[in-house]
Amino acid sequence: MLRLTDFIIDCPDAMKLAAFYSEVTGFPVKDGSNEHWAGIQLGDIELAFTPVEDYRPPQWPGSEHPKQFHLDFEVDDIEAEQRRVLALGATLHRDITDPDGYGFRVYTDPTGHPFCLCRNKGVTWTEQGPVWPQRNQ
């Protein structure tokens, strides 16, 4: 039996990138975080950041330094969330939304890691977060 407990992102400055994603997600940086390991607890999974020497950011969409991963965030208002993440230091790279505002937009965080803000048709929002529509099995 196994359980995914951490998703670890290499970066040049663990606390700085943790602060960025803390603002993006609304979850605090964990107590005890420091320059060697910083984390944000997202339910059962910790989004963690660790510095690496000579960090080279991914060059999305190029492949010389491939992205290797990206994060998707479902949002209820893509325009408002875009304004917020851009003000926090993200950079918009691609907009794949339809005229009704459904689809996704690709950004990079301040250290070059790509992430997406997504708005999917049929998703409803409750106080606990998004509820996905049932799909045929």
Side-chain angles (χ1 to χ4, degrees), residues 7 9 14 18 21 23 40 53 59 62 65 76 81-82 87 95 99 103 105 114 117 120 126 128 131 133:
F7 189 90
I9 299 175
Y21 279 106
E23 291 293 326
I40 300 169
E53 267 189 61
Q59 301 296 310
H65 304 288
D76 62 344
E81 290 301 321
Q82 174 171 288
D95 183 347
R105 293 180 183 163
L117 297 181
N120 289 289
T126 68
Q128 291 77 34
V131 176

Side-chain angles (χ1 to χ4, degrees), residues 95-112:
D95 183 347
I96 311 292
T97 53
D98 66 20
D100 295 325
Y102 293 103
F104 63 95
R105 293 180 183 163
V106 181
Y107 305 81
T108 51
D109 68 25
T111 60

